[in-house]
Amino acid sequence: MGKVVFAIHGGAGSIDIPPEKEQEYRDTMRSAIRAGKERLDKNDSGVAAVEAAIRILEDSVLFNAGKGAVFTTDASHELDASIMYGENLQAGSVTGVKHIKNPITLAHKMINNSPHVMLAGEGAEKFGMEQGVETVTQDYFYSNRRWQSLLEAKNESGEQNEFGTVGAIALDKNENLAAGTSTGGLTNKAVGRIGDSPIIGAGTYANNEGVAVSATGKGEVFMRGTAASDINALVQYQNWSIENAASEVVQKRLPVLGGTGGVIALNRQGQFASPHSSQNLLYGYVTEDDEIFIDLFPDGAI
Ligand code: ASP
């Protein structure tokens, strides 16, 4: 495989993609990957590339981020997103937003225009309005598929491990890493519940000395296991290979804590890893020579 410069994921889980939807998934993932790569080719920062790709995935009803996000237990949507630069460890994060069309854009604005790393709920939305990001009413996020999942989860009286959190990682022309993640969280989650996706070091991390990581899976376990930061630490401080570090955390340490999922990870040499312990992980990447690879049904899950 050539040097990977940009990669995305579309969530981990157990639900297979229906054959009639397969092409739509591939097309949407391909346009997100292309959008990220185009920004890198224009010499934009990895963070700009990550935002551009995630916006496309947030705008697609196929994924559990932005439009198509899952429902909370009271049938509302609460969205989380975070983004990070590997060069200077700057990071931005928003959690529990209900009216922001593209939470990843708001997270990115946190880096440039706020002294804080993370804003929640009402405060995050107020900041969004000051920044002029696009706002929507809750019905914008509605999809019948996620509504049915909520009803099913309520019948089974529990949360479901839903497919479709999105993430992206980049290696830009200045050899800086970046990572970002955006999600609606878990179906039937409690109001106010925060998962790993907006938590720097759990669902998202980027450090030029180590790796860029975006995670997906049972957020509580990724938080308790400081998943993204642990993968980085094994690479940065213990000199582990990216492949070994990512699979150690995802396939050995997190399942012991009681949860499954997957990550995409990339280092400054353009080495890429995508281990998962869930049945499936949707992901794709592009090399510096514009070779695009998309995997909707990876082997090797346990
Ligand atoms: N990690 C996300 C969360 O717990 C959900 C997912 O990745 O499917 O909020």
Side-chain angles (χ1 to χ4, degrees):
M1 188 200 324
K3 189 168 159 181
V4 173
V5 293
F6 192 77
I8 61 167
H9 70 75
S14 55
I15 305 160
D16 284 331
I17 295 170
E20 69 277 10
K21 287 271 174 199
E22 189 180 327
Q23 197 55 46
E24 208 184 327
Y25 272 94
R26 284 190 191 280
D27 291 346
T28 311
M29 289 174 73
R30 185 173 293 270
S31 46
I33 291 169
R34 283 218 176 100
K37 178 68 165 52
E38 271 166 28
R39 299 300 292 262
L40 298 180
D41 288 343
K42 280 198 266 174
N43 223 354
D44 284 346
S45 78
V47 175
V50 163
E51 182 195 339
I54 290 184
R55 279 181 69 100
I56 289 174
L57 300 170
E58 285 177 340
D59 288 347
S60 163
V61 76
L62 296 177
F63 299 96
N64 172 19
K67 188 164 180 62
V70 299
F71 287 90
T72 66
T73 191
D74 77 345
S76 63
H77 304 276
E78 296 183 355
L79 312 180
D80 301 331
S82 65
I83 194 162
M84 186 170 188
Y85 270 114
E87 183 190 9
N88 47 21
L89 308 191
Q90 286 185 333
S93 163
V94 293
T95 184
V97 294
K98 294 172 140 191
H99 305 100
I100 304 296
K101 181 168 174 273
N102 292 105
I104 196 69
T105 294
L106 191 55
H108 191 180
K109 284 190 183 292
M110 288 290 293
I111 291 184
N112 297 326
N113 303 333
S114 167
H116 308 300
V117 168
M118 188 173 196
L119 285 176
E122 212 182 308
E125 300 207 334
K126 188 166 175 275
F127 173 70
M129 282 184 270
E130 284 161 14
Q131 294 294 314
V133 301
E134 201 171 339
T135 53
V136 289
T137 49
Q138 283 257 296
D139 57 318
Y140 165 79
F141 300 111
Y142 177 88
S143 65
N144 185 50
R145 171 188 174 192
R146 303 299 187 193
W147 179 250
Q148 294 308 324
S149 297
L150 177 66
L151 298 183
E152 279 165 32
K154 285 194 181 292
N155 282 337
E156 292 159 16
S157 57
E159 282 174 349
Q160 286 200 332
N161 198 358
E162 191 71 54
F163 230 174
T165 289
V166 304
I169 49 180
L171 172 62
D172 67 25
K173 292 230 190 272
N174 295 318
E175 298 203 333
N176 293 317
L177 293 171
T181 310
S182 180
T183 189
L186 299 176
T187 297
N188 204 27
K189 67 183 182 181
V191 172
R193 177 263 187 190
I194 297 170
D196 61 316
S197 308
I199 307 286
I200 298 301
T204 302
Y205 199 71
N207 186 327
N208 278 3
E209 307 302 319
V211 293
V213 185
S214 173
T216 174
K218 182 138 180 85
E220 283 69 13
V221 162
F222 281 73
M223 290 156 84
R224 287 164 55 218
T226 56
S229 148
D230 260 26
I231 294 169
N232 180 74
L234 289 172
V235 172
Q236 184 177 356
Y237 304 120
Q238 306 278 337
N239 286 320
W240 283 40
S241 73
I242 186 164
E243 187 74 51
N244 286 349
S247 51
E248 164 76 19
V249 171
V250 170
Q251 294 174 328
K252 292 197 186 139
R253 297 187 187 182
L254 297 184
V256 173
L257 297 177
T260 61
V263 302
I264 50 171
L266 183 66
N267 67 12
R268 266 183 128 177
Q269 287 72 49
Q271 292 166 327
F272 171 75
S274 56
H276 55 104
S277 54
S278 47
Q279 201 181 316
N280 205 352
L281 172 72
L282 267 61
Y283 74 95
Y285 61 77
V286 60
T287 65
E288 58 184 344
D289 312 318
D290 281 325
E291 268 181 66
I292 293 181
F293 176 87
I294 291 171
D295 201 346
L296 302 184
F297 310 104
D299 298 329
I302 55 172

Coordinates of all heavy atoms in Angstrom, one line a residue, residues 151-198:
L151 N -37.7 3.0 18.4 CA -38.9 2.2 18.9 C -38.4 0.8 19.3 O -38.8 0.2 20.3 CB -39.9 2.1 17.8 CG -40.6 3.5 17.4 CD1 -41.7 3.2 16.3 CD2 -41.1 4.2 18.6
E152 N -37.5 0.2 18.4 CA -37.0 -1.1 18.7 C -36.2 -1.1 20.1 O -36.4 -2.0 20.9 CB -36.0 -1.6 17.6 CG -36.8 -2.2 16.4 CD -35.8 -2.3 15.2 OE1 -34.6 -2.5 15.4 OE2 -36.3 -2.1 14.1
A153 N -35.4 -0.1 20.3 CA -34.6 0.0 21.5 C -35.5 0.1 22.7 O -35.3 -0.5 23.7 CB -33.7 1.2 21.4
K154 N -36.6 0.8 22.5 CA -37.5 1.0 23.7 C -38.3 -0.3 24.0 O -38.5 -0.7 25.1 CB -38.5 2.1 23.4 CG -37.9 3.5 23.5 CD -38.9 4.6 23.6 CE -38.2 5.9 23.7 NZ -37.5 6.2 25.0
N155 N -38.6 -1.1 22.9 CA -39.2 -2.4 23.1 C -38.3 -3.3 23.9 O -38.7 -4.1 24.7 CB -39.6 -3.0 21.8 CG -40.9 -2.4 21.3 OD1 -41.7 -1.9 22.1 ND2 -41.2 -2.4 20.0
E156 N -37.0 -3.2 23.5 CA -36.0 -4.1 24.1 C -35.5 -3.5 25.4 O -34.6 -4.0 26.1 CB -34.8 -4.3 23.2 CG -35.2 -5.2 22.0 CD -34.2 -5.0 20.8 OE1 -33.1 -4.5 21.1 OE2 -34.6 -5.4 19.7
S157 N -36.0 -2.3 25.7 CA -35.6 -1.4 26.8 C -34.1 -1.4 27.1 O -33.6 -1.8 28.1 CB -36.4 -1.8 28.1 OG -36.2 -3.1 28.5
G158 N -33.4 -0.8 26.1 CA -32.0 -0.6 26.2 C -31.5 0.2 25.1 O -32.2 0.7 24.3
E159 N -30.2 0.5 25.1 CA -29.5 1.2 24.0 C -29.2 0.2 23.0 O -29.0 -1.0 23.2 CB -28.2 1.8 24.5 CG -28.5 3.1 25.3 CD -27.1 3.6 25.9 OE1 -26.1 2.9 25.9 OE2 -27.2 4.7 26.4
Q160 N -29.1 0.7 21.7 CA -28.6 -0.2 20.7 C -27.3 0.3 20.2 O -27.0 1.5 20.2 CB -29.6 -0.1 19.5 CG -30.9 -0.8 19.8 CD -31.6 -1.1 18.5 OE1 -31.4 -0.4 17.5 NE2 -32.3 -2.2 18.5
N161 N -26.5 -0.6 19.7 CA -25.2 -0.2 19.2 C -25.4 0.1 17.7 O -25.4 -0.8 16.9 CB -24.2 -1.4 19.4 CG -22.8 -0.8 19.2 OD1 -22.6 0.4 19.0 ND2 -21.8 -1.7 19.4
E162 N -25.6 1.4 17.5 CA -26.0 1.8 16.1 C -24.8 2.2 15.2 O -23.9 2.7 15.7 CB -26.9 3.0 16.3 CG -27.7 3.5 15.1 CD -28.8 2.5 14.7 OE1 -29.6 2.2 15.5 OE2 -28.8 2.1 13.5
F163 N -24.9 1.8 14.0 CA -24.0 2.1 13.0 C -23.9 3.6 12.7 O -25.0 4.2 12.6 CB -24.5 1.4 11.7 CG -23.5 0.6 11.0 CD1 -23.9 -0.1 9.9 CD2 -22.2 0.6 11.4 CE1 -23.1 -0.9 9.2 CE2 -21.3 -0.2 10.7 CZ -21.7 -0.9 9.6
G164 N -22.8 4.1 12.4 CA -22.8 5.4 11.6 C -22.1 6.6 12.1 O -22.2 7.6 11.5
T165 N -21.5 6.5 13.3 CA -20.7 7.7 13.7 C -19.6 7.9 12.6 O -19.2 6.9 12.0 CB -19.9 7.3 15.1 OG1 -20.9 7.3 16.1 CG2 -18.8 8.3 15.4
V166 N -19.2 9.1 12.4 CA -18.2 9.3 11.3 C -17.0 10.0 11.9 O -17.0 10.6 12.9 CB -18.8 10.2 10.2 CG1 -20.1 9.6 9.6 CG2 -19.1 11.7 10.7
G167 N -15.9 9.7 11.1 CA -14.6 10.3 11.6 C -13.7 10.5 10.4 O -13.9 9.8 9.3
A168 N -12.6 11.3 10.5 CA -11.6 11.4 9.5 C -10.3 11.7 10.1 O -10.2 12.3 11.2 CB -12.1 12.6 8.5
I169 N -9.2 11.3 9.4 CA -7.9 11.6 9.8 C -7.1 12.0 8.6 O -7.3 11.5 7.5 CB -7.2 10.4 10.5 CG1 -7.4 9.1 9.6 CG2 -7.8 10.2 11.9 CD1 -6.8 7.8 10.3
A170 N -6.1 12.9 8.8 CA -5.4 13.4 7.6 C -3.9 13.6 7.9 O -3.5 13.8 9.1 CB -6.0 14.8 7.3
L171 N -3.1 13.5 6.9 CA -1.7 13.9 6.9 C -1.5 14.9 5.8 O -1.6 14.6 4.6 CB -0.8 12.6 6.6 CG 0.7 12.8 6.4 CD1 1.3 13.4 7.7 CD2 1.3 11.5 6.0
D172 N -1.2 16.2 6.2 CA -1.2 17.2 5.2 C 0.2 17.4 4.6 O 1.1 16.7 4.9 CB -1.8 18.5 5.7 CG -1.0 19.2 6.8 OD1 0.2 18.9 6.9 OD2 -1.6 19.9 7.6
K173 N 0.3 18.3 3.6 CA 1.5 18.4 2.8 C 2.7 18.9 3.7 O 3.8 18.7 3.4 CB 1.3 19.4 1.7 CG 0.4 18.9 0.6 CD 1.0 19.0 -0.8 CE 0.0 18.7 -1.9 NZ 0.0 17.3 -2.3
N174 N 2.3 19.6 4.8 CA 3.4 20.0 5.8 C 3.7 18.9 6.8 O 4.4 19.2 7.8 CB 2.9 21.3 6.5 CG 2.8 22.4 5.5 OD1 3.6 22.6 4.7 ND2 1.7 23.2 5.7
E175 N 3.2 17.7 6.5 CA 3.4 16.5 7.4 C 2.8 16.7 8.8 O 3.4 16.3 9.8 CB 4.9 16.2 7.4 CG 5.4 15.8 6.0 CD 6.7 14.9 6.1 OE1 7.4 15.0 7.1 OE2 6.8 14.2 5.1
N176 N 1.7 17.4 8.8 CA 1.0 17.5 10.1 C -0.2 16.6 10.1 O -0.9 16.5 9.1 CB 0.5 19.0 10.3 CG 1.7 19.9 10.5 OD1 2.6 19.6 11.3 ND2 1.7 21.1 9.9
L177 N -0.4 16.0 11.2 CA -1.6 15.1 11.4 C -2.8 15.9 11.9 O -2.7 16.9 12.6 CB -1.3 14.0 12.4 CG -0.2 12.9 11.9 CD1 0.2 12.0 13.1 CD2 -0.7 12.1 10.7
A178 N -4.0 15.3 11.6 CA -5.2 15.9 12.2 C -6.3 14.8 12.3 O -6.2 13.8 11.6 CB -5.8 17.0 11.2
A179 N -7.2 15.0 13.2 CA -8.3 14.0 13.4 C -9.6 14.7 13.8 O -9.6 15.7 14.4 CB -7.9 13.0 14.5
G180 N -10.7 14.1 13.4 CA -12.0 14.6 13.8 C -13.1 13.5 13.9 O -12.9 12.5 13.2
T181 N -14.1 13.7 14.7 CA -15.2 12.7 14.8 C -16.5 13.4 15.1 O -16.5 14.5 15.7 CB -14.9 11.8 16.1 OG1 -13.5 11.3 16.0 CG2 -15.8 10.6 16.1
S182 N -17.6 12.9 14.5 CA -18.9 13.5 14.7 C -19.9 12.4 14.9 O -19.9 11.4 14.2 CB -19.2 14.4 13.5 OG -20.5 15.0 13.7
T183 N -20.9 12.6 15.8 CA -21.9 11.6 16.1 C -23.2 12.1 16.6 O -23.2 13.2 17.2 CB -21.3 10.5 17.0 OG1 -22.2 9.4 17.1 CG2 -21.1 11.1 18.4
G184 N -24.2 11.3 16.5 CA -25.4 11.5 17.3 C -25.4 10.7 18.5 O -26.4 10.8 19.3
G185 N -24.4 9.9 18.8 CA -24.3 9.1 20.0 C -25.0 7.7 19.8 O -24.9 7.1 18.8
L186 N -25.6 7.3 20.9 CA -26.2 5.9 20.9 C -27.7 6.1 20.9 O -28.2 6.9 21.6 CB -25.8 5.1 22.1 CG -24.3 4.8 22.3 CD1 -24.0 4.1 23.6 CD2 -23.8 4.0 21.1
T187 N -28.4 5.2 20.2 CA -29.9 5.2 20.1 C -30.4 5.0 21.6 O -29.9 4.2 22.3 CB -30.4 4.1 19.3 OG1 -29.9 4.3 17.9 CG2 -31.9 4.0 19.3
N188 N -31.4 5.8 21.9 CA -32.1 5.7 23.2 C -31.2 6.1 24.4 O -31.4 5.7 25.5 CB -32.6 4.3 23.4 CG -33.8 4.3 24.4 OD1 -34.5 5.2 24.6 ND2 -33.9 3.1 25.0
K189 N -30.1 6.9 24.1 CA -29.2 7.4 25.1 C -30.0 8.3 26.0 O -30.9 9.0 25.6 CB -28.0 8.0 24.6 CG -28.3 9.4 23.8 CD -27.0 10.0 23.2 CE -27.3 11.3 22.5 NZ -26.1 11.9 21.9
A190 N -29.6 8.4 27.3 CA -30.2 9.3 28.2 C -30.0 10.8 27.8 O -29.0 11.1 27.1 CB -29.6 9.2 29.6
V191 N -30.9 11.6 28.0 CA -30.8 13.1 27.7 C -29.6 13.6 28.5 O -29.4 13.3 29.7 CB -32.1 13.8 28.1 CG1 -31.9 15.3 28.0 CG2 -33.2 13.4 27.3
G192 N -28.7 14.3 27.8 CA -27.5 14.8 28.5 C -26.3 13.8 28.5 O -25.2 14.2 28.9
R193 N -26.5 12.6 28.0 CA -25.4 11.7 28.0 C -24.3 12.1 27.0 O -24.6 12.6 25.9 CB -25.9 10.3 27.5 CG -24.8 9.2 27.4 CD -24.4 9.0 26.0 NE -23.5 7.9 25.8 CZ -22.8 7.7 24.6 NH1 -22.9 8.5 23.6 NH2 -22.0 6.6 24.5
I194 N -23.1 12.1 27.4 CA -22.0 12.4 26.5 C -21.1 11.2 26.3 O -20.8 10.5 27.2 CB -21.1 13.5 27.1 CG1 -22.0 14.8 27.3 CG2 -19.9 13.8 26.3 CD1 -21.3 15.9 28.1
G195 N -20.8 10.9 25.0 CA -19.9 9.8 24.7 C -18.5 10.1 24.5 O -18.0 11.2 25.0
D196 N -17.8 9.3 23.8 CA -16.3 9.5 23.6 C -16.0 10.4 22.5 O -14.9 11.0 22.5 CB -15.7 8.1 23.3 CG -16.2 7.5 22.1 OD1 -17.4 7.5 21.9 OD2 -15.4 7.0 21.3
S197 N -16.9 10.6 21.5 CA -16.6 11.3 20.3 C -16.1 12.7 20.5 O -15.2 13.2 19.9 CB -17.8 11.2 19.3 OG -18.2 9.9 19.1
P198 N -16.7 13.5 21.5 CA -16.3 14.8 21.7 C -15.1 14.9 22.7 O -14.7 16.0 23.0 CB -17.5 15.6 22.2 CG -18.2 14.5 23.0 CD -18.0 13.2 22.3

